[in-house]
Amino acid sequence: MTTNFDFIPAEWAEVRADAVRAESYARTDPRSCVFHARRVVEHVVIRIFDLERLAVPYRSDLAARLGDSAFRAAVGPEIAAKADVIRRQGNIAVHEARTISPETAVNVLRQLHDILKWAAYTYSTSPDAVPTGAAFDPALIP
């Protein structure tokens, strides 16, 4: 494995590209890392809404989707909480001047890894190819 996100299926090419891009920025540009991780979460959440045929909530933004009770029932509280951590950190990265540390970026990537393992196992056409027991490996960050 050359990245922590090599397991993402080919049919999710944009998600994989953004996850790998986020990982590539973790040490050199943590703000960009967190921004791209949030983008991945948004794409995955929209995909889950489509696949689960969930009604779009009163607003279609990420916060409303993550807070939607049908979405939370579909993904469970742990995945929803991880996605919300990334959403909040992504909002800080985009809208605030405070520094995003490399440690924060690595933590966001760890949460993203967990979300993507779960999503790929649950929704991809090749769940057996997902390394569900693999832990996020910070040594793979360039």
Side-chain angles (χ1 to χ4, degrees), residues 22-130:
E23 186 178 45
S24 75
Y25 287 129
R27 298 193 198 287
T28 59
D29 188 357
R31 185 175 305 279
S32 292
C33 168
V34 173
F35 166 83
H36 284 288
R38 186 198 183 284
R39 179 175 157 82
V40 170
V41 167
E42 190 148 2
H43 282 286
V44 170
V45 168
I46 289 169
R47 177 165 284 172
I48 291 169
F49 264 80
D50 290 345
L51 292 170
E52 292 286 345
R53 296 188 172 109
L54 302 176
V56 176
Y58 62 100
R59 288 188 338 255
S60 64
D61 65 8
L62 184 57
R65 286 178 189 258
L66 290 176
D68 182 75
S69 60
F71 173 79
R72 296 177 80 74
V75 304
E78 184 178 345
I79 295 299
K82 289 173 182 287
D84 198 48
V85 165
I86 295 170
R87 178 194 66 81
R88 286 185 281 115
Q89 289 299 319
N91 287 351
I92 290 168
V94 170
H95 301 294
E96 296 185 24
R98 50 179 146 150
T99 301
I100 304 294
S101 70
E103 293 80 15
T104 296
V106 170
N107 182 51
V108 163
L109 289 173
R110 184 173 283 112
Q111 304 300 315
L112 184 64
H113 187 259
D114 290 345
I115 291 167
L116 290 173
K117 278 192 311 185
W118 175 85
Y121 181 78
T122 305
Y123 296 108
S124 79
T125 58
S126 53
D128 294 337
V130 178

